[in-house]
């Protein structure tokens, strides 16, 4: 078998005209060129993907202008809730862990004044919008703001009215709902 292969190889190299002779009927290739088909498909999909990106970009711009928020009532009195942290959380975070958030409705002027004072007093604190324009609020406050998408924080922290000051520490979470004037004095 080995000898036959060697002889065939030798004859093919020595007499190239023998290698090009058909041994049976020859038919044309009727299958489409797969490489050309893949290239065409990739080109079309690239155009479609760019079109989807442009549509999504416009959707995101509109969303940033005025995202769908949660309408909550104005706080009329001071109320506090405390959520204690589990012992595992206390050991994981350590005693020095502390975060502060202010949840507001950016469409209400007293909340915006409170947010300015909050940022000035607590530069590492986060202003979280429950309603209003993210872009407009960021431009007004000249800082980054967050948005409570789908009212996730409002529901988890059981917030019923705004503004709300949230203090997170290794010991737990304290939620204070109070009129803006009172929060300006003592968060």
């Amino acid at each position: 078998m080995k000898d036959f292969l060697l002889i065939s190889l030798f004859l093919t190299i020595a007499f190239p005209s023998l290698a090009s002779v058909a041994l049976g009927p020859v038919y044309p290739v009727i299958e489409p060129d797969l490489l050309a088909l893949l290239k065409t498909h990739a080109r079309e999909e690239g155009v479609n993907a760019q079109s989807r990106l442009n549509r999504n970009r416009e959707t995101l711009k509109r969303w940033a202008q005025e995202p769908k928020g949660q309408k909550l009532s104005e706080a009329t009195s001071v109320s506090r809730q405390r959520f204690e942290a589990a012992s595992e959380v206390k050991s994981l975070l350590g005693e020095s862990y502390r975060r502060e958030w202010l949840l507001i409705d950016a469409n209400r002027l007293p909340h915006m004044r409170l947010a300015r004072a909050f940022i000035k007093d607590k530069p590492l604190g986060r202003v979280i919008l429950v309603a209003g324009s993210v872009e407009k609020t960021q431009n007004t406050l000249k800082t980054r703001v967050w948005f409570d998408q789908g009212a996730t924080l409002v529901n988890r922290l059981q917030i019923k009215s705004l503004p709300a000051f949230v203090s997170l520490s290794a010991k737990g979470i304290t939620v204070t709902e109070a009129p803006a004037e009172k929060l300006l004095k003592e968060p």
Side-chain angles (χ1 to χ4, degrees):
M1 180 72 168
K2 223 183 210 185
D3 293 335
F4 176 72
L5 289 175
L6 285 174
I7 292 171
S8 297
L9 181 63
F10 175 72
L11 288 175
T12 304
I13 293 170
F15 304 104
S17 61
L18 290 176
S20 62
V21 176
L23 300 176
V26 179
Y27 301 100
V29 177
I30 59 170
E31 291 87 17
D33 182 9
L34 288 180
L35 183 59
L37 192 64
L38 286 173
K39 285 180 180 179
T40 303
H41 180 67
R43 203 175 316 112
E44 290 170 356
E45 195 55 38
V47 170
N48 291 339
Q50 189 60 44
S51 173
R52 283 192 305 271
L53 281 173
N54 290 338
R55 278 195 312 271
N56 289 344
R57 188 176 295 126
E58 291 304 315
T59 302
L60 286 174
K61 281 182 183 177
R62 282 193 306 276
W63 181 86
Q65 293 294 324
E66 192 70 38
K68 186 178 178 188
Q70 179 81 12
K71 296 292 180 193
L72 294 175
S73 63
E74 188 74 27
T76 55
S77 61
V78 178
S79 71
R80 280 196 177 87
Q81 292 184 76
R82 178 99 178 124
F83 303 97
E84 292 297 322
S87 58
E88 297 86 21
V89 173
K90 292 177 184 177
S91 63
L92 181 67
L93 294 178
E95 290 297 319
S96 63
Y97 180 83
R98 184 162 175 85
R99 301 289 185 270
E100 295 171 320
W101 299 343
L102 178 66
L103 282 82
I104 64 167
D105 182 342
N107 296 324
R108 299 177 187 169
L109 192 57
H111 292 204
M112 291 299 289
R113 282 196 296 266
L114 175 62
R116 277 192 201 93
F118 175 77
I119 291 167
K120 187 176 179 183
D121 189 41
K122 300 174 187 313
L124 297 178
R126 287 188 177 181
V127 175
I128 301 173
L129 302 184
V130 174
S133 169
V134 173
E135 184 179 47
K136 184 178 171 186
T137 305
Q138 286 184 151
N139 292 337
T140 302
L141 298 177
K142 294 179 180 39
T143 188
R144 183 176 179 188
V145 297
W146 284 258
F147 194 89
D148 184 19
Q149 296 180 29
T152 304
L153 291 173
V154 166
N155 293 332
R156 289 229 173 148
L157 299 173
Q158 301 170 9
I159 296 172
K160 305 286 186 258
S161 59
L162 295 174
F165 177 75
V166 179
S167 175
L168 300 97
S169 69
K171 295 177 183 176
I173 301 171
T174 303
V175 179
T176 305
E177 299 172 30
E181 306 79 42
K182 293 192 178 188
L183 280 177
L184 273 170
K185 295 175 186 170
E186 47 124 348

